[in-house]
Amino acid sequence: MSNPISGVFGGSPSLDKAALEKAKRQALERPLDGQSEPGKTAAARPAPRADELLLSPIAKRAMAEPAFDRDKVEAIKQALRDGTYPMDARRIAESFASMEKLIG
């Protein structure tokens, strides 16, 4: 019995070595996938199919919507321009200090 993938015998070594070598040669002579077989023209081979990606309706809806709230971002931008966005300098400094500890 030969290996269904390679076609090479995978059984007992006590069997006929000549048959084993013949099977190995035949397996090596077979064309790999995508290569032309001897005697076949390009027209006889089936044309390759194009890749296709199918998305579920949920995935389509998720990709159509932004991953953030645009109105909230615009409100924060406007508050920063106006100088009314609340910033806590102490909290910002503590965050930088903790990042420095993580880095090095």
Side-chain angles (χ1 to χ4, degrees):
M1 174 149 224
S2 66
N3 182 322
I5 296 173
S6 66
V8 177
F9 180 77
S12 170
S14 64
L15 295 173
D16 185 18
K17 288 186 180 182
L20 179 61
E21 289 300 318
K22 182 179 175 186
K24 283 183 182 178
R25 274 194 307 280
Q26 288 175 346
L28 291 173
E29 290 171 358
R30 271 188 279 142
L32 298 174
D33 290 340
Q35 293 180 346
S36 64
E37 294 182 32
K40 278 197 173 181
T41 63
R45 287 187 305 239
R49 291 185 287 163
D51 292 337
E52 184 178 359
L53 175 65
L54 300 175
L55 296 176
S56 69
I58 295 171
K60 289 178 184 177
R61 189 174 45 214
M63 290 180 70
E65 297 173 1
F68 58 91
D69 185 358
R70 288 190 190 275
D71 294 333
K72 185 174 182 179
V73 171
E74 288 303 320
I76 292 171
K77 282 182 180 180
Q78 189 60 43
L80 287 170
R81 283 188 213 112
D82 296 342
T84 59
Y85 187 79
M87 287 194 230
D88 185 2
R90 181 180 180 97
R91 224 172 124 201
I92 294 170
E94 287 172 352
S95 296
F96 275 110
S98 65
M99 281 193 289
E100 285 291 325
K101 287 180 186 176
L102 289 174
I103 293 172

